[in-house]
């Protein structure tokens, strides 16, 4: 271990890195690598791998810069002793990596989808509320895009996009979290309790039945896997995350295309960046976004997260939901748009959202078919 600054091979961060097999890792990625190596060891019992783990473990624990140094330094102990002292079970050890995610999705497909993975494309994840196994852990609140099944899918499909993305690092209050991309309520409003399939915002503009049917089709697809993505989740000093910042932004109004346009400017370090978003991306979540900075970083990120439909032919983000009127439309806006203007925009938005969700669901299921 030296004081020489290195570039982390996994996330690109510049740090006084730890070395493993000639490659350098920052502290965060070294911990993630260590967890993955432990999982591989317990599956293979490869003694040579055990020694490699021991070497990396000692670098981390006996480094005075490490938070673990004062609390866990043990002169005569090795990493296996530490695990035994903590009485970790095998299933907990597997949770360090991705095998637990794979097992959860496999079980869900067998138990709830009759073994047919294709049914996942249209499965309503909001129906998993109060489901302890696939919905939320006992004592926690429920959000469909952050349920246990969704987390497992994110890990399997996008586990190699961001550093140290696994079942221990994902969820509310953790390093990563699921996010709903195409918002429904901003444009259409909430469902009217006594009128199933009718929505407060939409009904105030006197829609025809064709528009209502389009809105219902979109509404049914909102809580499906094609409309979900995983994003870094560290908060700023005001406890705002990327998820909450986008949802409350006075200009974006929770629209994902507006957010992506702003994100591209930050990653490319272009003029006119949103200050709050820059802080979240460049500071709080730099470990995750550092590998996507520069002129081509945003394009690379959208390709990895299956967000290509939000790009124009030139490879840059396009605010598709403003294409019809030039405005970010929301049902309570003032001055109030005409019925014709609103309905035209709502129809355009729903059609595009439906197309995006279906296309992404297809890609997600294709990846899962290979990983399961």
């Amino acid at each position: 271990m030296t004081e020489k600054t290195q570039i982390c091979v996994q996330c690109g961060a510049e740090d006084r890195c730890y070395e493993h097999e000639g490659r350098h890792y920052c502290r965060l990625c070294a911990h993630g690598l260590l967890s993955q190596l432990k999982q591989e060891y317990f599956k293979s019992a490869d003694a040579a791998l055990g020694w490699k783990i021991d070497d990396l473990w000692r670098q981390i624990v006996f480094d005075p810069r490490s938070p673990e140094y004062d609390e866990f330094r043990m002169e005569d102990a090795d990493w296996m002793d530490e695990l035994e002292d903590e009485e970790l079970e095998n299933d907990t050890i597997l949770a360090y990596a991705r095998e637990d995610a794979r097992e959860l999705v496999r079980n869900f497909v067998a138990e709830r989808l009759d073994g047919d993975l294709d049914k996942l494309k249209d499965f309503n994840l909001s129906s998993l509320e109060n489901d302890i196994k696939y919905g939320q852990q006992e004592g926690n609140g429920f959000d469909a895009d952050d349920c246990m099944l969704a987390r497992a899918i994110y890990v399997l499909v996008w586990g190699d996009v961001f550093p140290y993305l696994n079942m221990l690092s994902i969820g509310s209050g953790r390093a990563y979290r699921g996010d709903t991309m195409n918002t429904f309520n901003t444009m259409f409003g909430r469902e009217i309790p006594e009128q199933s399939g009718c929505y407060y915002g939409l009904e105030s503009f006197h829609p025809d039945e064709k528009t209502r049917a389009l809105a219902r089709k979109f509404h049914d697809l909102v809580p499906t896997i094609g409309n979900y993505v995983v994003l870094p989740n560290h908060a700023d000093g005001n406890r705002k995350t990327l998820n909450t910042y986008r949802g409350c932004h006075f200009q974006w109004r929770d629209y994902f295309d507006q957010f992506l346009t702003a994100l591209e400017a930050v990653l490319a370090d272009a003029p006119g960046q949103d200050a709050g978003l820059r802080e979240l991306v460049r500071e709080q979540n730099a470990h995750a976004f550092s590998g996507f900075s520069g002129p081509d970083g945003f394009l690379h990120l959208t390709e990895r997260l299956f967000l290509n439909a939000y790009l124009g032919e030139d490879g840059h983000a396009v605010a598709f939901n403003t294409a019809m009127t030039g405005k970010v439309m929301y049902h309570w806006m003032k001055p109030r748009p005409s019925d014709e203007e609103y309905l035209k925009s709502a129809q355009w938005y729903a059609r595009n959202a439906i197309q995006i969700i279906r296309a992404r669901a297809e890609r997600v299921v294709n990846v899962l078919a290979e990983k399961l």
Side-chain angles (χ1 to χ4, degrees):
M1 187 65 202
T2 68
E3 295 298 320
K4 184 178 179 182
T5 299
Q6 301 284 352
I7 301 298
C8 176
V9 69
Q10 187 160 341
C11 72
E14 187 174 358
D15 195 5
R16 292 170 292 175
C17 293
Y18 304 97
E19 184 176 347
H20 176 72
E21 295 188 333
R23 308 177 81 187
H24 295 90
Y25 298 81
C26 68
R27 187 178 68 83
L28 178 66
C29 291
H31 274 282
L33 174 63
L34 184 64
S35 296
Q36 293 177 22
L37 292 174
K38 288 177 183 178
Q39 188 265 346
E40 292 173 16
Y41 174 83
F42 278 92
K43 292 181 69 178
S44 66
D46 182 347
L49 182 57
W51 284 110
K52 293 177 182 178
I53 295 172
D54 186 76
D55 177 70
L56 181 59
W57 180 87
R58 287 179 179 278
Q59 287 186 58
I60 296 173
V61 173
F62 287 91
D63 175 13
R65 295 181 292 111
S66 172
E68 292 84 6
Y69 181 74
D70 289 330
E71 185 175 357
F72 295 115
R73 185 162 60 92
M74 296 173 285
E75 295 293 345
D76 299 320
D78 62 12
W79 65 272
M80 181 64 77
D81 293 330
E82 181 191 33
L83 288 180
E84 292 175 350
D85 288 344
E86 293 180 0
E87 298 180 351
L88 294 179
E89 300 290 341
N90 282 343
D91 58 347
T92 305
I93 293 166
L94 290 176
Y96 280 128
R98 301 173 190 167
E99 194 61 31
D100 53 341
R102 184 176 289 107
E103 182 179 358
L104 189 75
V105 177
R106 281 175 176 166
N107 289 344
F108 179 81
V109 173
E111 295 173 7
R112 306 295 176 85
L113 303 181
D114 301 319
D116 187 355
L117 181 60
D118 276 347
K119 291 182 179 179
L120 181 64
K121 298 174 187 176
D122 296 313
F123 183 82
N124 181 348
L125 277 80
S126 66
S127 67
L128 295 175
E129 187 170 8
N130 300 318
D131 186 314
I132 299 301
K133 183 175 182 180
Y134 300 113
Q136 77 268 31
Q137 294 177 333
E138 191 171 2
N140 293 347
F142 178 79
D143 199 343
D145 59 19
D146 187 41
C147 70
M148 295 301 295
L149 177 64
R151 293 180 189 180
I153 293 171
Y154 302 148
V155 170
L156 291 177
V157 177
W158 294 302
D160 60 347
V161 175
F162 299 117
Y164 192 37
L165 173 57
N166 58 44
M167 292 296 280
L168 292 180
S169 65
I170 189 169
S172 295
R174 301 179 184 178
Y176 303 100
R177 190 193 188 283
D179 197 358
T180 301
M181 300 191 319
N182 298 290
T183 177
F184 183 88
N185 291 345
T186 301
M187 179 67 79
F188 299 99
R190 298 187 179 278
E191 188 171 29
I192 302 173
E194 61 275 14
Q195 293 180 256
S196 179
C198 294
Y199 310 96
Y200 282 112
L202 177 62
E203 290 303 315
S204 67
F205 291 92
H206 311 102
D208 57 19
E209 193 53 41
K210 184 177 180 179
T211 304
R212 288 193 182 97
L214 186 63
R216 290 168 188 149
K217 186 176 182 180
F218 174 30
H219 185 266
D220 288 344
L221 289 174
V222 169
T224 62
I225 196 60
N227 199 34
Y228 293 160
V229 71
V230 64
L231 291 174
N233 192 51
H234 286 309
D236 63 14
N238 296 315
R239 299 184 180 180
K240 288 183 179 179
T241 63
L242 289 172
N243 181 299
T244 58
Y245 188 67
R246 188 191 95 215
C248 299
H249 198 282
F250 74 102
Q251 289 180 317
W252 307 342
R253 302 289 178 179
D254 203 27
Y255 284 117
F256 200 70
D257 56 342
Q258 302 294 317
F259 163 73
L260 287 181
T261 301
L263 178 61
E264 180 178 15
V266 172
L267 292 178
D269 203 19
Q273 298 175 45
D274 181 271
L277 182 62
R278 180 181 176 84
E279 180 183 353
L280 284 167
V281 170
R282 295 282 187 176
E283 296 180 28
Q284 272 68 34
N285 295 283
H287 71 286
F289 285 113
S290 59
F292 300 102
S293 296
D296 300 321
F298 176 74
L299 180 60
H300 183 45
L301 179 65
T302 55
E303 289 173 346
R304 299 296 303 279
L305 294 178
F306 308 162
L307 304 176
N308 313 69
Y310 292 96
L311 307 182
E313 293 182 358
D314 59 0
H316 294 290
V318 173
F320 74 83
N321 69 333
T322 64
M324 297 303 291
T325 63
K327 302 175 184 177
V328 176
M329 192 75 69
Y330 44 103
H331 68 83
W332 67 93
M333 66 187 298
K334 295 185 187 309
R336 186 182 186 278
S338 67
D339 288 359
E340 180 183 4
E341 184 181 31
Y342 166 85
L343 293 174
K344 188 176 182 180
S345 182
Q347 292 163 2
W348 172 262
Y349 174 63
R351 289 193 186 101
N352 277 277
I354 291 169
Q355 184 176 354
I356 289 172
I357 294 169
R358 290 205 178 282
R360 290 186 80 254
E362 186 75 26
R363 295 186 68 178
V364 167
V365 166
N366 287 343
V367 173
L368 287 176
E370 297 176 0
K371 297 285 182 76
L372 296 178

